[in-house]
Amino acid sequence: MAKATMYFPSDFKWAAATSSHQVEGNNPNNDWWVWEQNGGHVRDGQKSGLACDWWGAGFDRDMDFAAQMNQTGHRLSLEWSRIEPTEGQWDTAAIDRYRYMLKAMRQRGIEPMVTLHHFTNPVWVVE
């Protein structure tokens, strides 16, 4: 019996996914950050801290790796608590950073797929 060769469609997205809280780092404005800081919730008391430093140099490094591995899509979340750190106050620098990230993905041939809410909330919402 001959083995059948299988092909993926030409428009198939080779993709991965991230959560803003898990990769951006240093975001004290969301409820998960606060929860981590209280201790006793995560094994060995670990905290996200700098995470993968996507809010710094880590994003470009990781997207370069993704492009080298021929990734053609990436699902990422936009952190509400960065965009609106306090009720009614919009952080244009955060919006600009996300705009940069989305454009940088496209420049590498990676189609962004955006999640608007990925289970973190601004501290002001929770309070």
Side-chain angles (χ1 to χ4, degrees):
M1 180 185 267
K3 280 187 167 180
T5 302
M6 299 180 71
Y7 297 95
F8 287 90
S10 61
D11 61 347
F12 185 84
K13 296 293 177 206
W14 291 99
T18 55
S19 161
S20 56
H21 180 73
Q22 295 170 337
V23 295
E24 289 177 4
N26 291 332
N27 182 18
N29 298 323
N30 81 37
D31 57 342
W32 275 86
W33 178 276
V34 172
W35 182 81
E36 288 176 349
Q37 304 312 305
N38 291 332
H41 299 291
V42 182
R43 186 177 182 171
D44 298 327
Q46 295 178 359
K47 297 176 175 72
S48 58
L50 192 59
C52 299
D53 192 28
W54 273 30
W55 216 244
F59 170 78
D60 285 310
R61 178 200 61 227
D62 288 352
M63 286 301 109
D64 286 344
F65 286 143
Q68 289 170 16
M69 293 185 292
N70 299 311
Q71 184 173 316
T72 55
H74 190 89
R75 199 252 326 131
L76 74 159
S77 54
L78 305 185
E79 179 60 50
W80 178 11
S81 68
R82 286 195 191 273
I83 295 169
E84 189 180 11
T86 58
E87 187 173 8
Q89 180 183 25
W90 305 97
D91 187 331
T92 56
I95 294 167
D96 289 344
R97 176 66 178 166
Y98 284 124
R99 183 177 291 118
Y100 166 81
M101 293 166 84
L102 297 172
K103 286 181 180 180
M105 286 180 176
R106 289 197 179 279
Q107 289 169 348
R108 290 172 171 88
I110 299 171
E111 181 179 350
M113 294 167 267
V114 176
T115 298
L116 296 177
H117 186 263
H118 200 185
F119 306 105
T120 58
N121 295 298
V123 172
W124 62 266
V125 168
V126 175
E127 290 175 348

